[in-house]
Amino acid sequence: MISKQTIDKIFSTIRVEEIVGEYVQLKRAGSNFKGLSPFHDEKTPSLVVSASKQIWKDFSTGKGGTAISFLMEIENFTYPEALRHAAKKYGIEIEEDKKDFSEEAKMAQSERDKLYKIHEVANDFFQNFLWEVEEGKAVGLSYFKERELRDDIIKKFQLGYSPEKKNAFTEYALEKGYSKDLLEKSGLSIFPENSPGGIDRFRERVMFPIHSFSGRVLGFGARILKNNVKTAKYLNSPETEIYHKSNVLYGLNQSKQAISRKNVCLLVEGYMDVISLHMSGIENVVASSGTSLTTEQIKLIKRLTENVTILFDGDNAGIKASFRSIDMLLTEGMNIRVLLFPDGDDPDSFARKHPQEYVEKFIENEAMDFIDFKAEILLKEVGDDPIKKAEAIRDIVKSVSFVQNALKREIYLKQVSSKFGLSEQSLFNELNVQKQITQQNQPHHAQPQKEAPPAKMEVVPLDEEKSDPFLFEVLFMENKLIDHMLMFGDIVLKRRNEKEEEYQITVIEEILYHFDEEEYRFLAKGNEVIIEHVKEGIRNEELRSGNFFITFMDEEITTKVVDALLPVNELENWASRNIFPPNYGDKIADQVRGDVLLHKYRYIDYLIAQTAKDLEQFRDSDQTKYFELLQKIMLMKQASIRLSEMIEYSPIKGIYVNRKK
């Protein structure tokens, strides 16, 4: 169990903008950062990251919290896993509270946790065999050395070797106490009827671990080294609960920072292409190895950049088949360039032949946009045949039809018009035809479904027919006062008592005094929890405002606090338009006083409505009780009238003004 001292150190060290920035391309917007939501498809950024408050908020889904909660959301980490990941990133040593875990706690580990663990064990086994065992050094390490890989690169990508013995890893894992069922589910071992001891899926192969975005091992790619064996050259892990090849890009974990920094992703085909480019100093590269490019993989790239350069072998016979990938990238709003290496070269061999600067300049200067690329490929064998030429141009226009941005589409069509000497009108007509064909072939895309709005914190479990405008108003003001406490709780207000003597009181204390004075019963459960912690803090001579609650592992509380600290207007960067509206909190002394009065006013109206419901029960059955309640209502109405005379609120300025004494 991670010690509290370590947890405190992690929270005080990590930076939310750095953690989120590994997954999302963030751009500065005033004092905050903004980016596209990684949880929701969108074209307009709705993710806000506050470096000053060390929190994030995704306004499209309602999610929000700290850097740790972000890791939990995006990686499906448990709380301890997220803490350990952050500690590793920032070089923080984990201190454990020495407590024995019960058998029940051990059994509580999820299936996913066990799968992650067995892959970690396998990865260590394969690496150890490569570096420490004679067979691994003689076969596996020798192969990597022949490919001119340096030791640091081999270790960076955690390359390994699976030995010739048919059940070397399976035997090792079983001795460690891992079950046959887990080994089978992981895809690392097979247990046929004629081999009850199990067989390793990967035997006598060099191993390429496939990592998640955050660096956890999900599966393996394995290359056989013998040429005379009738088996697949590359063998990949099967689909498991944690590994779905269509959702993973090889090298993304090692390349994500470089992709974000350079704002372009190089897309290649194989493991060695990625590794060789890294060795030459070019790190913004990933591979879709083992699968055709998928929408999920494109979205992984789009978190970091919208710019993709596809690198092809010069003699690759499958280049035409890659046109589908281009269309998919365009559909997702990516900007695409394509590079063909000289005949006989692929990214791996080209990177090993030339120094980094030469390779970088070659990619920059020789990469062409998708129109020129498709034209070069499609028109290569057309000759003077007008029908074939028309088909080639139609294919190019078809790709343009996948571009989502209307302005970009028009610019691309102008480029095609200029390149082939065709009228823009005829190309626009063809574009419309291609769009119709696409919609017919993909009817489920024609009418995109509107997503349900994000769920909000349920403050009161009432059915629609039982909803009450008085209840709504008092809840609104209750939440507003709690927000003031979270946002400005430690601000000291200057007040005067009835004798006009000046005294000082914090926002937290003034609002708490109001709640206690009214003997107020909170209508939102989350608010009650917050108030209890605030009161406990005061008893310990400690003011607990928003930052105290940010690290709570209570989603309801954390969401409420983030909503208070990052209101929706944080999405707008008004200053960039020379608009400077008043800031929330500029007049906090007036806001607190006014909102306390307004809450009191709404609460009295709510109590009047509730008492009126009780009144009818006693009209005929209990005259004494009836007149007692009637008198109570009259007194509350008098109080309500006095409060209404005191309250004058300016919705434009957002403050209370000209209040009558």
Short mmCIF file of all heavy atoms in Angstrom, two decimals, residues 151 174 219 257 285 299 329 392 425 462 595:
data_model
loop_
_atom_site.label_atom_id
_atom_site.label_comp_id
_atom_site.label_asym_id
_atom_site.label_seq_id
_atom_site.Cartn_x
_atom_site.Cartn_y
_atom_site.Cartn_z
N ASP A 151 22.78 -0.94 -28.05
CA ASP A 151 22.24 -1.50 -26.81
C ASP A 151 21.14 -0.62 -26.23
O ASP A 151 20.12 -1.12 -25.72
CB ASP A 151 23.35 -1.68 -25.78
CG ASP A 151 24.29 -2.83 -26.12
OD1 ASP A 151 24.05 -3.50 -27.15
OD2 ASP A 151 25.26 -3.06 -25.37
N LEU A 174 4.32 -21.13 -14.67
CA LEU A 174 3.60 -22.07 -13.79
C LEU A 174 4.33 -22.23 -12.47
O LEU A 174 3.71 -22.31 -11.40
CB LEU A 174 3.44 -23.42 -14.48
CG LEU A 174 2.46 -23.46 -15.67
CD1 LEU A 174 2.55 -24.80 -16.39
CD2 LEU A 174 1.02 -23.20 -15.20
N GLY A 219 0.80 -6.95 -25.46
CA GLY A 219 0.98 -8.15 -26.28
C GLY A 219 2.37 -8.12 -26.89
O GLY A 219 3.22 -7.29 -26.54
N GLN A 257 5.84 11.99 -27.11
CA GLN A 257 6.33 13.32 -26.79
C GLN A 257 6.93 14.01 -28.02
O GLN A 257 6.71 15.21 -28.24
CB GLN A 257 7.35 13.25 -25.66
CG GLN A 257 6.73 12.87 -24.32
CD GLN A 257 7.73 12.84 -23.19
OE1 GLN A 257 8.93 12.80 -23.42
NE2 GLN A 257 7.24 12.84 -21.96
N VAL A 285 7.53 8.77 -34.73
CA VAL A 285 7.15 7.75 -35.70
C VAL A 285 6.41 6.61 -35.01
O VAL A 285 6.76 6.21 -33.90
CB VAL A 285 8.40 7.23 -36.46
CG1 VAL A 285 9.46 6.74 -35.48
CG2 VAL A 285 8.04 6.13 -37.44
N LYS A 299 -7.39 8.07 -34.29
CA LYS A 299 -7.78 8.92 -33.16
C LYS A 299 -6.68 9.00 -32.11
O LYS A 299 -6.53 10.02 -31.43
CB LYS A 299 -9.08 8.41 -32.55
CG LYS A 299 -10.29 8.70 -33.43
CD LYS A 299 -11.57 8.12 -32.87
CE LYS A 299 -12.75 8.45 -33.78
NZ LYS A 299 -14.01 7.81 -33.33
N LEU A 329 -7.87 8.74 -43.11
CA LEU A 329 -7.20 9.86 -42.46
C LEU A 329 -7.89 11.18 -42.81
O LEU A 329 -8.09 12.04 -41.94
CB LEU A 329 -5.73 9.92 -42.88
CG LEU A 329 -4.82 8.86 -42.24
CD1 LEU A 329 -3.55 8.67 -43.05
CD2 LEU A 329 -4.47 9.25 -40.80
N ALA A 392 -8.69 7.71 -63.11
CA ALA A 392 -7.67 8.11 -62.13
C ALA A 392 -8.06 9.41 -61.45
O ALA A 392 -7.95 9.56 -60.22
CB ALA A 392 -6.31 8.24 -62.81
N GLN A 425 -16.01 23.54 -62.07
CA GLN A 425 -17.42 23.14 -62.00
C GLN A 425 -17.59 21.64 -62.23
O GLN A 425 -18.34 20.96 -61.52
CB GLN A 425 -18.24 23.92 -63.02
CG GLN A 425 -19.76 23.67 -62.92
CD GLN A 425 -20.30 24.01 -61.54
OE1 GLN A 425 -20.08 25.11 -61.04
NE2 GLN A 425 -20.98 23.06 -60.90
N LEU A 462 -35.50 12.95 -7.44
CA LEU A 462 -36.92 13.21 -7.63
C LEU A 462 -37.35 12.82 -9.02
O LEU A 462 -36.62 13.02 -9.99
CB LEU A 462 -37.21 14.71 -7.43
CG LEU A 462 -37.16 15.25 -5.99
CD1 LEU A 462 -37.42 16.73 -6.02
CD2 LEU A 462 -38.18 14.55 -5.13
N ASP A 595 -25.72 36.31 -1.96
CA ASP A 595 -26.15 34.92 -2.16
C ASP A 595 -26.64 34.28 -0.86
O ASP A 595 -27.52 33.41 -0.88
CB ASP A 595 -25.01 34.10 -2.78
CG ASP A 595 -24.83 34.39 -4.26
OD1 ASP A 595 -25.75 34.98 -4.85
OD2 ASP A 595 -23.78 34.04 -4.82
#
